[in-house]
Amino acid sequence: MSGAGAAALAWALLAGALLSPPPVRPQLQLQPRRDRDVQEKEAQFNTTYIDWVDANLLNIYAFNHSVRRNRTEGVRVSVNVLSDHKDRPVLFVVRQKEAVVSFQVPLILRGLYQRKYAYQEVSRTLCQPQTKAEVETQHFYVDVSTLSLNTSYQLRVTRVENFVLRTNERFSFNATAAQPQYFKYEFPEEVDSVIVKVTSAMAFPCSVISIQDILCPVYDLDNNVAFIGMYQTMTKKAAITVQKKDFPSHSFYVVVVVKTEDEVCGGPLPYYPLSKDASPDEPVDQHNRQKTLEVMVSPAITSEAYVRSVLFCLGIFLSFYVLTLLIACWESCRQHKRKGLLAAMDSPNLDTASLLGHSRSIPDSFLNHGPYDSYGYGSFGNGSSSSTEGITDSLGSAEVSYNYVGERSLENVAGRPRMDSLSSIEEDDYDTLADIDYDKNVIRTKQYLCVADLARKDKRVLRKKYQIYFWNIATIAVFYALPVVQLVITYQTVVNVTGNQDICYYNFLCAHPLGNLSAFNNILSNLGYVLLGLLFLLIILQREINYNRALLRNDAHALECGIPKHFGLFYAMGTALMMEGLLSACYHVCPNYTNFQFDTSFMYMIAGLCMLKLYQKRHPDINASAYSAYACLALVIFFSVVGVVFGKGNTAFWIVFSVIHIVATLLLSTQLYYMGRWKLDSGILRRILHVLYTDCVRQCSGPMYVDRMVLLVMGNIINWSLAAYGLIVRPNDFASYLLAIGICNLLLYFAFYIIMKLRSGERIKLIPLLCIISTSVVWGFALFFFFQGLSTWQKTPAESREHNRDCILLDFFDDHDIWHFLSSIAMFGSFLVLLTLDDDLDCVQRDKIYVF
């Protein structure tokens, strides 16, 4: 084929391809679409429109209203779908100038576990845009559409009366989950902060109160109310303090939403589904779940009230410093007068005991001792028989006297230089007792003991031993407080950022914010613990300085008379009081379930340290070491945490705790009764049976130590009763229950100490007597305010707010703040009682002071 013919054939084929029809493809059979009819109607306020709509119809209602710049009116749209087509709801869209609000009816809201609740009647308040003109006519439209067939509905648009709340005026209204309400409040010129109070006579249904800025849209449904602003759940009471500086427009919305379920407020969770035939995915109609509420906005306190309250708080506690200084000056003048009297009488050997009416005089052997002969706290003679006879005579015992102070103890101590290093002295290495255990058994198992019997160890060793209490608690305080401060700052930040006021359990009716703190008054009221704890430390320091000066000048009273002076436990008590104030303040930054132990940990320590100090007074040689004491207190705090977390309604926990409580009581009783001269080993059961057989079966004999037995029997009765109470009642507040156990034991031992002191012929001087009386009165008032119970983290936040009350002091402090004031004063007074209780014995020989 020639070239020309090939080219002609190619052009013919290309022309055939271009001219041939395209291949037939299968086409979709589309339904012919009918255009939707649109009906636009001019509508009026306060008119009910009953109409219908279907998939081919769109109804538009046009409204217009005048908006004034200085007057805000609320507009509320209420709809009710009369047909029952849950699968194909009706959609309502409200178009405004600056906002669009849309919702479907039936309105579906979700609860816990994705439960669905349907509402046929829905009402929504429209967000009101701001206007700059004096008067402006604004238009808005309500579009109604659906995909169902011929659905009838009812529409009504009204103006909201009292949309703007007035200061100090109450306003009542109703709300449901599908018909939320919100109102506007504008700050007056002279008001910087207000408190919004919402109340209701009915606890349920549960509701949510929210404070939101003037912005569109307003989040007023259960599923979005927590998106913005501050909010809190409510049963009967709710209160939120609002500050003008937080809202640039100097106004805000008060939004009230009824929740679909009551579980978050402590109510029961309904069964779901409610019928056997109902599908789990089918919404439940809650019918008329309505709540009547009352709202009032009142001005909060001014900045002057803050200053006045701070000055009041400082004035109360600084007055104790002034009073202490005056008493110290009076005591100093009295001491100078007494010294002048002694010099005038030219009686260098006349001691304070004779001035106070005591017939005892100081033996000459006192004045011949070196300054450190008193390091072995023994009796006055150098192991002489006259000393021992004096002891046995004073005790009235017919037993053979033991010459328990030998030449060895005084000779070894007398020549030691005063500035000898204490770092190399250990209690086990340097003991004035014999190195055999038999000597201790002889001394400590006597029927009648005096302080000299239990004050025989080297004073420097014991001083170091008891100083460990202070250094240990100081170390504990630092390691405990730092993470606590960091944690509560985080809590407060979370509250401020999220606006969720259910995190912290305040008394919202008396919670005054300052800076980032939500309840500054609850923090300020803890200042008393810190200031009075510091004052107590200063008093102890002054006492220790005076005591050391007395030792330096070889004062006979400091060397051989009175209760042995050890100040380590006192320093620990003062530090614990200061830390109680600091940690209580940290707890009240955001009080809740997870940080309760911050407020109670050092309360346990204070109770334990007071008991140890009371026991140490007459048992200095055998008191517990700091390590074992703090280990026991740590165990108590551990049980406190476990009890709060797992103890509520847990039978197994209460059984285990009651058994441990009873066993610990029995072991401690045995330790105290035998003065530590017993052993817990494999032969303990055999020895118990032997004692029972010899003392109860073979011969019926009474206890050898009657006084101790009476105390321990009473203590066991009280502790067994408390254990039984806990096992039967199972109180919800386990932390307070555990603290009550410690306080009851402390009060029992203190009462026993007072009774035995008076029974032994000792007396109580004026200052400790006044401290006892005044402290008891203050404790009574303090406990009254403590049991008012303004909030409790054992319940839901909404239930806790039912206990909230208004301020009662200076419009700034509530009942719990007064508890802080009074309890800090009462603790300080209790410490002073322990400090001065035995001042009457400062001129009494130690072998004439009974041990009990």
Side-chain angles (χ1 to χ4, degrees):
M1 181 181 296
S2 65
L9 179 60
W11 280 109
L13 291 176
L14 179 60
L18 292 175
L19 293 177
S20 62
V24 179
R25 297 181 180 178
Q27 295 183 354
L28 295 176
Q29 299 296 324
L30 298 176
Q31 295 290 339
R33 185 181 181 278
R34 178 181 174 183
D35 293 335
R36 172 174 287 187
D37 295 334
V38 178
Q39 294 185 3
E40 184 171 346
K41 307 174 183 179
E42 293 291 334
Q44 302 295 325
F45 283 85
N46 301 319
T47 301
T48 301
Y49 296 94
I50 300 177
D51 212 335
W52 63 274
V53 69
D54 60 15
N56 299 316
L57 178 63
L58 172 64
N59 290 334
I60 300 178
Y61 298 86
F63 294 86
N64 63 79
H65 66 122
S66 298
V67 179
R68 293 178 174 83
R69 184 175 58 186
N70 297 327
R71 182 181 177 185
T72 304
E73 289 184 347
V75 176
R76 190 166 179 83
V77 178
S78 302
V79 299
N80 183 14
V81 174
L82 305 178
S83 302
D84 189 11
H85 295 288
K86 296 181 179 179
D87 54 338
R88 293 184 178 181
V90 179
L91 178 64
F92 293 84
V93 180
V94 182
R95 294 177 288 123
Q96 296 177 265
K97 179 181 179 180
E98 297 179 2
V100 174
V101 178
S102 63
F103 54 89
Q104 68 175 44
V105 182
L107 179 64
I108 305 298
L109 297 176
R110 294 183 180 271
L112 288 177
Y113 314 114
Q114 296 300 312
R115 300 180 182 208
K116 296 180 181 179
Y117 299 95
Y119 300 90
Q120 294 291 117
E121 298 183 17
V122 180
S123 296
R124 303 290 295 276
T125 302
L126 302 184
C127 182
Q128 295 301 303
Q130 300 291 328
T131 178
K132 297 181 179 180
E134 187 69 26
V135 178
E136 179 183 351
T137 300
Q138 293 186 355
H139 301 269
F140 67 91
Y141 304 90
V142 180
D143 302 347
V144 185
S145 60
T146 185
L147 293 180
S148 63
L149 301 176
N150 197 7
T151 302
S152 60
Y153 62 89
Q154 180 177 300
L155 171 67
R156 182 180 178 87
V157 177
T158 59
R159 290 183 172 89
V160 180
E161 295 182 2
N162 300 315
F163 180 71
V164 178
L165 299 174
R166 295 181 176 87
T167 305
N168 289 327
E169 291 188 12
R170 298 180 181 274
F171 176 69
S172 298
F173 59 93
N174 297 324
T176 68
Q179 297 174 343
Q181 298 267 19
Y182 67 84
F183 306 93
K184 182 180 180 181
Y185 179 79
E186 298 175 349
F187 281 96
E189 290 294 333
E190 69 280 1
V191 176
D192 293 325
S193 63
V194 296
I195 178 169
V196 180
K197 301 178 183 178
V198 183
T199 57
S200 176
M202 51 200 305
F204 300 106
C206 176
S207 56
V208 177
I209 311 302
S210 174
I211 303 296
Q212 300 181 19
D213 202 355
I214 305 297
L215 297 173
C216 296
V218 178
Y219 297 96
D220 60 348
L221 290 177
D222 185 23
N223 56 8
N224 62 17
V225 69
F227 286 178
I228 192 174
M230 299 178 291
Y231 64 93
Q232 57 183 230
T233 54
M234 170 191 166
T235 51
K236 292 184 176 181
K237 288 182 182 180
I240 300 178
T241 300
V242 186
Q243 301 184 76
K244 181 190 289 187
K245 65 180 182 62
D246 296 331
F247 296 91
S249 63
H250 295 171
S251 57
F252 58 87
Y253 286 136
V254 179
V255 183
V256 180
V257 178
V258 175
K259 294 188 69 65
T260 58
E261 296 170 341
D262 298 330
E263 194 269 343
V264 70
C265 290
L269 192 64
Y271 291 105
Y272 181 86
L274 300 178
S275 62
K276 295 182 179 179
D277 299 333
S279 170
D281 295 330
E282 184 178 352
V284 176
D285 188 357
Q286 289 191 319
H287 305 289
N288 187 23
R289 185 178 165 85
Q290 180 174 282
K291 187 167 187 173
T292 302
L293 304 103
E294 186 177 74
V295 60
M296 185 179 73
V297 183
S298 55
I301 62 173
T302 61
S303 57
E304 289 78 8
Y306 281 84
V307 176
R308 184 171 62 248
S309 301
V310 171
L311 293 178
F312 170 80
C313 188
L314 289 173
I316 286 180
F317 298 112
L318 291 180
S319 64
F320 282 88
Y321 283 77
V322 176
L323 181 61
T324 302
L325 184 60
L326 293 177
I327 293 177
C329 293
W330 173 75
E331 184 68 22
S332 178
C333 293
R334 198 167 68 89
Q335 292 288 344
H336 285 301
K337 288 183 179 180
R338 185 170 59 184
K339 290 180 180 180
L341 179 61
L342 290 175
M345 296 177 64
D346 194 20
S347 302
N349 291 330
L350 185 63
D351 59 3
T352 310
S354 62
L355 290 176
L356 296 175
H358 290 282
S359 60
R360 301 184 183 94
S361 61
I362 302 176
D364 294 337
S365 58
F366 279 18
L367 305 177
N368 297 327
H369 285 176
Y372 269 75
D373 289 351
S374 61
Y375 278 175
Y377 273 135
S379 57
F380 294 103
N382 237 355
S384 62
S385 60
S386 62
S387 173
T388 308
E389 289 170 1
I391 295 174
T392 55
D393 291 342
S394 66
L395 296 175
S397 174
E399 296 180 352
V400 178
S401 60
Y402 297 96
N403 189 3
Y404 52 84
V405 182
E407 300 289 340
R408 167 181 173 269
S409 62
L410 291 178
E411 290 177 357
N412 291 343
V413 179
R416 185 173 297 118
R418 180 177 270 297
M419 300 305 293
D420 193 5
S421 173
L422 300 181
S423 62
S424 61
I425 301 177
E426 297 296 339
E427 187 177 354
D428 295 335
D429 299 337
Y430 196 92
D431 195 337
T432 58
L433 290 177
D435 291 332
I436 57 175
D437 222 26
Y438 177 77
D439 195 16
K440 294 182 181 180
N441 290 327
V442 170
I443 299 302
R444 297 180 188 174
T445 56
K446 287 165 48 178
Q447 185 173 5
Y448 299 101
L449 284 171
C450 61
V451 171
D453 296 326
L454 298 178
R456 298 163 51 81
K457 292 185 177 180
D458 191 294
K459 192 180 79 171
R460 295 178 301 174
V461 175
L462 291 182
R463 183 183 177 215
K464 181 183 177 183
K465 172 184 177 180
Y466 292 123
Q467 278 181 336
I468 296 176
Y469 275 96
F470 168 69
W471 292 113
N472 278 10
I473 200 169
T475 305
I476 292 171
V478 171
F479 281 93
Y480 197 95
L482 289 179
V484 167
V485 172
Q486 182 180 6
L487 181 62
V488 296
I489 290 176
T490 302
Y491 271 122
Q492 185 66 75
T493 303
V494 171
V495 172
N496 296 339
V497 171
T498 64
N500 182 5
Q501 299 204 352
D502 282 355
I503 297 176
C504 306
Y505 287 71
Y506 303 117
N507 174 19
F508 287 90
L509 291 176
C510 187
H512 304 298
L514 181 65
N516 291 327
L517 299 174
S518 299
F520 173 70
N521 54 304
N522 293 148
I523 299 172
L524 176 64
S525 59
N526 288 282
L527 184 63
Y529 296 105
V530 179
L531 292 181
L532 294 181
L534 178 61
L535 177 59
F536 185 73
L537 290 179
L538 295 176
I539 293 174
I540 297 302
L541 178 62
Q542 181 61 33
R543 279 221 167 193
E544 186 177 22
I545 291 173
N546 292 338
Y547 177 67
N548 291 334
R549 288 175 179 174
L551 291 180
L552 286 173
R553 64 174 180 264
N554 200 19
D555 188 285
H557 300 116
L559 294 172
E560 301 291 353
C561 294
I563 298 297
K565 303 294 191 296
H566 299 292
F567 300 97
L569 271 170
F570 280 130
Y571 283 118
M573 290 162 56
T575 305
L577 184 58
M578 295 179 65
M579 288 306 302
E580 171 59 29
L582 175 62
L583 293 180
S584 178
C586 290
Y587 167 74
H588 284 91
V589 169
C590 183
N592 58 44
Y593 169 81
T594 58
N595 61 8
F596 72 95
Q597 68 272 18
F598 302 162
D599 193 30
T600 57
S601 296
F602 275 83
M603 289 185 184
Y604 300 134
M605 288 194 173
I606 289 173
L609 291 173
C610 288
M611 293 184 69
L612 286 170
K613 184 58 192 178
L614 203 57
Y615 186 76
Q616 183 210 50
K617 282 178 171 289
R618 311 215 177 204
H619 310 78
D621 283 358
I622 62 174
N623 202 22
S625 67
Y627 306 111
S628 57
Y630 287 129
C632 293
L633 291 173
L635 190 63
V636 170
I637 296 174
F638 170 77
F639 273 110
S640 174
V641 176
V642 173
V644 171
V645 176
F646 303 106
K648 191 173 183 179
N650 192 332
T651 305
F653 168 80
W654 281 101
I655 293 175
V656 172
F657 176 77
S658 299
V659 170
I660 293 176
H661 183 191
I662 292 173
V663 171
T665 301
L666 292 175
L667 292 176
L668 184 60
S669 300
T670 307
Q671 177 75 12
L672 295 177
Y673 185 76
Y674 289 107
M675 296 287 184
R677 309 315 301 158
W678 70 289
K679 293 182 180 180
L680 183 62
D681 53 19
S682 59
I684 184 66
L685 184 60
R686 177 180 56 81
R687 293 195 297 273
I688 292 176
L689 294 175
H690 177 71
V691 171
L692 292 175
Y693 173 74
T694 56
D695 291 355
C696 299
V697 178
R698 192 171 178 181
Q699 60 178 5
C700 187
S701 59
M704 185 175 182
Y705 314 109
V706 179
D707 296 335
R708 269 179 265 169
M709 179 60 71
V710 171
L711 169 66
L712 296 175
V713 168
M714 293 176 61
N716 276 269
I717 291 174
I718 291 177
N719 281 276
W720 285 51
S721 301
L722 289 171
Y725 171 81
L727 189 59
I728 296 171
V729 179
R730 300 173 196 169
N732 292 329
D733 191 354
F734 181 80
S736 298
Y737 166 76
L738 195 59
L739 185 61
I741 293 176
I743 293 176
C744 286
N745 283 276
L746 175 59
L747 292 178
L748 172 65
Y749 188 32
F750 182 74
F752 171 81
Y753 192 94
I754 294 292
I755 293 172
M756 291 301 300
K757 180 178 178 65
L758 298 176
R759 183 169 174 263
S760 302
E762 302 172 9
R763 65 187 184 89
I764 301 177
K765 298 180 73 173
L766 179 61
I767 291 181
L769 182 61
L770 291 177
C771 287
I772 291 174
I773 296 174
S774 58
T775 300
S776 301
V777 173
V778 174
W779 269 124
F781 283 105
L783 291 175
F784 170 78
F785 287 103
F786 174 76
F787 287 113
Q788 296 304 305
L790 302 181
S791 62
T792 171
W793 44 260
Q794 300 168 45
K795 299 180 180 180
T796 63
E799 291 175 310
S800 173
R801 276 185 278 274
E802 293 182 17
H803 303 280
N804 289 177
R805 295 183 185 177
D806 292 323
C807 304
I808 62 173
L809 180 63
L810 301 177
D811 290 329
F812 193 83
F813 299 110
D814 60 16
D815 298 71
H816 197 74
D817 294 324
I818 297 178
W819 149 256
H820 288 160
F821 291 146
L822 296 180
S823 62
S824 61
I825 296 172
M827 285 186 185
F828 177 70
S830 302
F831 289 2
L832 291 182
V833 170
L834 290 177
L835 179 63
T836 61
L837 184 59
D838 290 316
D839 281 357
D840 61 301
L841 302 176
D842 284 347
C843 303
V844 180
Q845 301 173 10
R846 288 182 187 138
D847 57 356
K848 301 297 191 295
I849 303 175
Y850 292 98
V851 171
F852 41 79

